[in-house]
Amino acid sequence: MRVLVADHPLINHKLTYLRDERTDSPTFRRLAEELVTLLAYEATREVRVEPFDIRTPVAPTQGIKLSTPKPLIVPILRAGLGMLEGMVRLLPTAEVGFLGMVRDEATLEVSAYANRLPDNLSGRQCYIVDPMLATGHTLVMAIDYLVGKGADDITAVCLLGAPEGIAHLEERLADVDVPVTLVLGAIDEKLDENGYIVPGLGDAGDRLYGVV
Ligand code: URA
């Protein structure tokens, strides 16, 4: 697994306001969207393209366009929805599949409650978006789903990651043949006893959409 931490002052500035408990939901949503657009720039560096012939007003030339099959963006519900718009803005031709996953707050076990993905992902680059890589269980399950449907290149974009979650992914993906890239805004210190990232930003879903 390739791990890229987008170390950039603008990203760190926006992350600081995102982390701040005084930041309200509308501002949090806007910052999450801005951050994902910056991270998506890094995450799509290897997006597949093909040659494309055009004519400028001056001369014929060859450019490039995004290849088909189109990339697939997969937000993990609920918090991943807060990153969808920023990602689609950068990849406007992409399609979107959805995975709904919930974490049992007592056992930290993850289960899937929704799965709306194309049946066949052969030859497709997939971009999973989920703000928080905490234990890594959600991401491992999401990657398993995509690999099971034939995805041949997977990039996960997360705002924050915990060292424990990255280690779990490294261990669980050791035997997976599909290339996986992890793009993070920052790697935080640790997980607390409740599975929250420290210092983190709290519950990303609650901060985006309110407590349920
Ligand atoms: N999910 C969150 O929303 N926040 C954390 O800190 C960990 C998991």
Side-chain angles (χ1 to χ4, degrees):
M1 181 176 73
R2 211 158 53 108
V3 182
L4 303 175
V5 183
D7 191 15
H8 190 288
L10 273 183
I11 291 182
N12 294 335
H13 164 86
K14 289 178 195 297
L15 273 176
T16 302
Y17 282 91
L18 201 74
R19 293 175 187 280
D20 191 333
E21 64 181 1
R22 293 168 296 186
T23 299
D24 61 15
S25 277
T27 312
F28 192 95
R29 284 198 287 268
R30 180 177 55 74
L31 285 168
E33 204 177 307
E34 288 171 7
L35 271 164
V36 75
T37 306
L38 294 171
L39 294 179
Y41 185 73
E42 195 57 47
T44 52
R45 202 171 274 285
E46 312 267 321
V47 69
R48 291 180 191 141
V49 293
E50 58 193 38
F52 185 45
D53 292 326
I54 55 159
R55 256 198 97 80
T56 74
V58 179
T61 187
Q62 192 177 64
I64 53 160
K65 63 176 184 175
L66 296 185
S67 297
T68 47
K70 297 168 182 164
L72 184 77
I73 301 172
V74 184
I76 309 287
L77 307 181
R78 157 177 81 131
L81 278 184
M83 297 171 72
L84 178 59
E85 200 47 47
M87 198 71 196
V88 169
R89 186 169 303 144
L90 215 71
L91 279 178
T93 59
E95 291 178 345
V96 181
F98 295 91
L99 279 175
M101 293 190 178
V102 65
R103 179 169 88 152
D104 183 310
E105 294 300 335
T107 64
L108 301 185
E109 287 302 312
V110 174
S111 57
Y113 64 86
N115 176 347
R116 300 292 290 171
L117 294 173
D119 282 338
N120 183 3
L121 293 177
S122 315
R124 291 187 79 162
Q125 285 181 297
C126 296
Y127 295 88
I128 300 172
V129 289
D130 193 10
M132 310 298 272
L133 167 57
T135 61
H137 294 156
T138 303
L139 214 43
V140 165
M141 192 181 269
I143 290 168
D144 277 349
Y145 271 119
L146 298 181
V147 171
K149 286 178 176 282
D152 69 352
D153 186 78
I154 299 173
T155 300
V157 184
C158 304
L159 301 181
L160 295 180
E164 295 89 333
I166 298 169
H168 181 68
L169 276 182
E170 300 269 18
E171 187 194 321
R172 290 293 309 277
L173 299 179
D175 298 330
V176 174
D177 286 336
V178 173
V180 176
T181 303
L182 176 63
V183 178
L184 296 162
I187 300 178
D188 275 9
E189 195 188 318
K190 60 174 184 177
L191 290 182
D192 71 8
E193 60 286 1
N194 300 313
Y196 278 84
I197 297 177
V198 180
L201 50 74
D203 186 301
D206 287 354
R207 296 205 58 195
L208 281 161
Y209 302 118
V211 181
V212 289

